Amino acid sequence: MFRRRKQRRAEKEEEFADLSLGGDSQDGVDDIEAWIAEGPGGAEGAASRHRSDDEPEPVAPADDDLSADFDDHFEAKPAVRKAPVRRVGGPWDVTEDPNDGLPRIDLGALRLPTPPDVELRLEADQNGQIVTVALIHGTSTLNLGVFAAPRSEGIWDEVREDLRDSINSDGGQANFVDGDYGTELSARVPTPEGPQPLRFVGVDGPRWFVRAVYSGPAAIDPANAGPLADVMRGLVVVRGEQPMPVRDPLPLVLPTEITEQAEAAAADAQGEEDDSGGRHRKLDLPRRGPEITETH
């Protein structure tokens, strides 16, 4: 499964533009992208995606009927007890006003603060739809995703089980741990460079779900997250009113100022080519796009 994911990622990189904003860059972010780009719960969690968030939850079968739902090589898992959430701060719903005075970048369904010394890396398709939101501080990375959720209940309990099963079945190791946001998933996943630590955090909101994936030192010890934890606490989610299938990603778009800077950079590159070679050809937005601000 890991090879298939890496192949899908390689195909995707041919289509996406990479736009960066300030801070320290980190090599190897893409090495774990296969584990964070398939939706909130990976390939194993697709069963509930086709249900609209406005539809009622399906009724569970009687206990006598459960045995027919499991293959011989699987065992029924006990119900996961919802851990108490002790978090202070966000992610916030747009109807809640954190009133903290933080400037935020508006990505549509997400509004996120960008503290000093944090690089924001966005990957977008040619239509300007963002598919990856990564924040980098030193050698730690925070990848963010926001998804539709049912009106009646959260999905993190189900999602983290899907993730654990997927990682363990692909040769990694994943276990539930207690954290500031309740039950989290601590994992070591196989990559070409060897096992890499990841920490999955899920937050259920009103008809939305935020999945955060820490890598690097922040995955090993939450105390190493530094300003990345501040980003998480300062997130604001704009769910919108439109019905969506459960687990579908909420729409994220490039801010106007970033799009204008990318277009200006492309225009400058066109001008330089015309001046130097006397040739004229149309330049699209770069596939591994411009550095919006120089990184150090």
Side-chain angles (χ1 to χ4, degrees), residues 123-291:
E123 287 189 359
D125 61 21
Q126 295 301 317
N127 296 320
Q129 293 290 319
I130 296 174
V131 295
T132 300
V133 178
L135 297 107
I136 303 167
H137 175 68
T139 55
S140 291
T141 301
L142 169 62
N143 285 270
L144 294 171
V146 59
F147 307 88
R151 187 184 300 274
S152 57
E153 65 180 13
I155 62 174
W156 175 227
D157 288 351
E158 177 186 354
V159 164
R160 66 173 179 259
E161 290 227 351
D162 292 340
L163 284 166
R164 182 190 63 178
D165 293 346
S166 180
I167 291 171
N168 287 338
S169 67
D170 277 4
Q173 296 178 334
N175 297 287
F176 299 143
V177 297
D178 196 26
D180 290 341
Y181 289 85
T183 303
E184 302 176 357
L185 185 68
S186 177
R188 291 177 65 84
V189 301
T191 74
E193 292 74 28
Q196 298 294 324
L198 296 178
R199 179 165 58 94
F200 295 83
V201 177
V203 180
D204 290 307
R207 300 176 64 222
W208 53 259
F209 168 71
V210 168
R211 191 193 66 178
V213 188
Y214 290 93
S215 61
I220 300 172
D221 185 350
N224 295 327
L228 298 180
D230 296 334
V231 173
M232 187 70 173
R233 286 189 290 265
L235 279 181
V236 175
V237 180
V238 184
R239 168 60 180 82
E241 298 300 325
Q242 70 278 17
M244 294 182 64
V246 172
R247 298 196 186 201
D248 265 18
L250 299 184
L252 299 173
V253 296
L254 291 173
T256 302
E257 58 269 24
I258 294 182
T259 304
E260 292 175 348
Q261 291 180 51
E263 291 174 347
D268 290 343
Q270 174 69 72
E272 291 176 1
E273 181 173 339
D274 289 344
D275 292 341
S276 60
R279 297 169 297 172
H280 180 81
R281 65 181 181 89
K282 182 178 179 181
L283 291 180
D284 295 325
L285 289 179
R287 291 189 180 276
R288 299 297 298 179
E291 298 291 332

